[in-house]
Amino acid sequence: MGLLQGTETVTKTAKGIWHDFKDFIDNGNVLGLAVGLVTGGAFTSLINSLVSDIITPPFGLLLGKANFENLFVILKHGNSINQSYETIDQAQKDGAVTWNYGRFIQVISNFIILSFSLFWAVRFFQIFQKDEIIKSQVNCKYCRSSINKKSIRCKFCTSWLDEREQPR
């Protein structure tokens, strides 16, 4: 008898979890999230290609290397002490310890360009929406906390910002 009651409890719990999962799926958030992730991944690939294939090669040539990613310093030579390495992969295959500053600069460039591009993409989509996506902030005139410019009451000091009452 105890075994049957245990299975009923497990069944009810599983049905409850399944019901909650269906509600979550039906809410539409999952589809929006999936589209956002796929679009974000494609956009990131585009920006990475822009930086690594278009922007950084001229800078790499100015620094004397054809490929900006292969700018590195040898911290410890590998097995062949007198060998000069053209690429990071050659150095690492030989067992050398390298400081890969070219890759780091490229990642920083990717981040800055991606952030800037996303900012302007959001600004572009704001043109077609009623509500702003990027909220403009102002400082509360009483507590100097940063609040939304459309606020009528400060969420920190609770002062009315439309002169309904004056703080004492």
Side-chain angles (χ1 to χ4, degrees):
M1 192 63 145
L3 183 61
L4 290 177
Q5 288 176 340
T7 55
E8 288 177 15
T9 305
V10 169
T11 305
K12 285 181 185 178
T13 303
K15 284 182 181 178
I17 292 172
W18 178 250
H19 179 71
D20 291 345
F21 180 70
K22 282 184 5 184
D23 288 345
F24 176 71
I25 296 287
D26 290 341
N27 197 358
N29 294 335
V30 174
L31 183 60
L33 179 64
V35 169
L37 286 173
V38 169
T39 305
F43 191 69
T44 301
S45 297
L46 175 73
I47 296 299
N48 286 338
S49 176
L50 173 70
V51 170
S52 63
D53 299 332
I54 305 297
I55 295 174
T56 56
F59 291 116
L61 284 175
L62 288 175
L63 296 172
K65 296 272 188 174
N67 188 349
F68 195 68
E69 272 192 2
N70 282 319
L71 295 175
F72 64 98
V73 174
I74 298 171
L75 299 176
K76 180 180 175 260
H77 279 280
N79 299 330
S80 308
I81 295 175
N82 294 329
Q83 182 177 353
S84 64
Y85 307 109
E86 294 295 320
T87 66
I88 294 171
D89 291 335
Q90 285 177 348
Q92 289 176 344
K93 283 180 184 175
D94 193 40
V97 178
T98 58
W99 185 46
N100 308 328
Y101 67 92
R103 286 183 181 172
F104 181 70
I105 292 171
Q106 184 154 354
V107 168
I108 290 173
S109 302
N110 286 0
F111 175 75
I112 290 170
I113 293 171
L114 181 63
S115 300
F116 190 71
S117 301
L118 286 175
F119 171 76
W120 283 109
V122 167
R123 283 287 186 190
F124 176 74
F125 286 112
Q126 276 183 330
I127 295 170
F128 303 108
Q129 291 187 341
K130 292 181 183 177
D131 292 334
E132 293 180 353
I133 297 172
I134 300 174
K135 306 288 185 196
S136 296
Q137 301 288 312
V138 295
N139 289 336
C140 171
K141 57 187 170 184
Y142 300 110
C143 70
R144 302 286 181 225
S145 298
S146 182
I147 56 173
N148 187 326
K149 74 177 181 181
K150 293 182 180 179
S151 298
I152 57 173
R153 194 165 190 174
C154 177
K155 65 181 179 181
F156 298 102
C157 69
T158 67
S159 298
W160 290 97
L161 303 174
D162 60 356
E163 307 298 329
R164 289 188 193 182
E165 64 181 49
Q166 295 296 327
R168 299 178 200 264

